[in-house]
């Protein structure tokens, strides 16, 4: 059997252990400490310095804390991009609120601004103002930030920016993760950088960061004893794992550059094929977290996926839209067929920044036989 090629596996810099060892040496084996603060500073700087960063146990936890701080609760409606991973939508249900799913545009594969406005107007006409909009930079491709922000402002609805897959992506020269009222990142094992598991919530000011930390550390009131006047969560990142994050931040730009190179490699090698690639719109720079291809049909997509599997190469269909998921299909959705078509014909190719030239050649060899 040939060596397994993964879709996106952890890629250490070699610096991580120094920070992890520091945590051990100083006995900061807790969900606070110098690595937590240091990782937050590294992220803040990388994102341009204007947003406060709180590192948490996961990206999902970050979305949950964003919804809580926006006051989303039982009976509220939240507009959510349908073409995404389920972790974007699940926290809406944690709050007992109702997700309303919105389909994608073809230019970015993300939240369609026209459909979003249609949905807002329809919800308003039914007497229900949505509490929040969750937009996603899927596969690292920025959504149309200008238009989505305009709609958020026009209708006075806050935006949660899911940048879980988009660390290092840019829109108009600014980093993704800085465009929402709240923005989130994920450091899961398969993301652009990893802490094995982890996430971050970006907020507009220090006050909101302090609120985030408070909620993420069991919402203790100021008192010598343990006193609570809010529901708390145990969502803070461990100082040991934040050490991994600090080591990863030293090579973040290399990781993004390498993923973009891999995208170009596939595009170049497959330029005469029946596959199509999503190009960066003018003002956008995707981190190319995963290179995705569109094949001519569902049948072809499956043939290719199985042929890769036979060669011990992992690939994966694009995300199945939420409005087609068994757990979510009962909710209202505004669809145009775009995400369903992408799901049918699309395939994610191995794109890890640790991919070798010979691995990529092996993958392209299989793809070229189609
Ligand atoms: C990974 C991911 C999340 C969740 O992040 P975790 O850290 O795994 O909880 C949320 N949204 C999207 C789009 C993701 O890809």
């Amino acid at each position: 059997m040939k060596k397994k090629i993964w879709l996106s596996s952890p890629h250490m810099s070699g610096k991580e252990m120094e920070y992890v060892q520091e945590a051990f040496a100083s006995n900061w084996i807790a969900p606070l400490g110098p690595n937590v603060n240091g990782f937050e500073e590294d992220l803040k700087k990388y994102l341009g310095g204007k947003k406060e960063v709180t590192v948490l146990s996961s990206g999902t936890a970050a979305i949950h804390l964003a919804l809580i701080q926006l006051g989303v609760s039982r009976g509220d409606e939240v507009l959510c991009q349908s073409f995404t991973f389920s972790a974007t939508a699940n926290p809406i249900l944690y709050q007992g609120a109702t997700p309303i799913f919105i389909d994608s545009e073809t230019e970015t594969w993300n939240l369609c601004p026209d459909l979003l406005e249609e949905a807002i107007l329809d919800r308003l006409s039914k007497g229900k103002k949505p509490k929040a909009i969750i937009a996603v930079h899927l596969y690292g491709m920025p959504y149309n930030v200008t238009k989505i922000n305009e709609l958020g402002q026009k209708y006075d609805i806050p935006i949660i920016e899911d940048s879980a897959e988009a660390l290092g992506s840019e829109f108009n020269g600014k980093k993704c993760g800085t465009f929402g009222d709240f923005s989130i990142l994920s450091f899961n094992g398969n993301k652009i950088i990893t802490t094995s598991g982890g996430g971050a919530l970006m907020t507009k000011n220090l006050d909101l960061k302090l609120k985030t930390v408070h909620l993420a550390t069991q919402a203790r009131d100021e008192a010598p004893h343990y006193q609570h006047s809010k529901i708390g969560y145990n969502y803070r990142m461990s100082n040991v794992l934040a050490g991994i994050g600090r080591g990863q931040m030293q090579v973040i730009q290399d990781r993004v550059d390498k993923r973009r190179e891999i995208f170009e490699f596939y595009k170049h090698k497959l330029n005469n094929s029946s596959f199509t690639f999503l190009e960066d719109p003018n003002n956008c720079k995707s981190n190319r977290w995963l290179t995705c291809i569109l094949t001519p049909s569902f049948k072809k997509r499956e043939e290719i996926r199985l042929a890769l599997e036979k060669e011990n190469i992992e690939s994966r269909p694009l995300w199945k839209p939420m409005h087609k998921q068994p757990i979510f299909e009962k909710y209202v959705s505004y669809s145009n067929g775009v995400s369903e078509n992408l799901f049918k014909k699309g395939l994610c190719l191995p794109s890890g920044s640790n991919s070798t030239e010979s691995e990529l050649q092996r993958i392209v060899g299989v793809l070229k036989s189609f």
Side-chain angles (χ1 to χ4, degrees), residues 266-286:
Y266 281 126
K267 207 179 80 174
H268 177 71
K269 294 283 177 189
L270 298 168
N271 73 344
N272 283 323
S273 70
S274 56
F275 308 136
T276 56
F277 294 80
L278 183 63
E279 297 289 341
D280 278 343
N282 270 338
N283 48 349
C284 293
K285 199 170 159 187
S286 168

Side-chain angles (χ1 to χ4, degrees), residues 38-55:
F39 188 30
E40 286 176 345
E41 278 161 30
D42 293 346
L43 285 164
K44 179 175 177 177
K45 194 160 157 236
Y46 183 71
L47 294 175
K50 296 223 171 76
K51 296 285 174 154
E52 294 296 332
V53 180
T54 309
V55 291

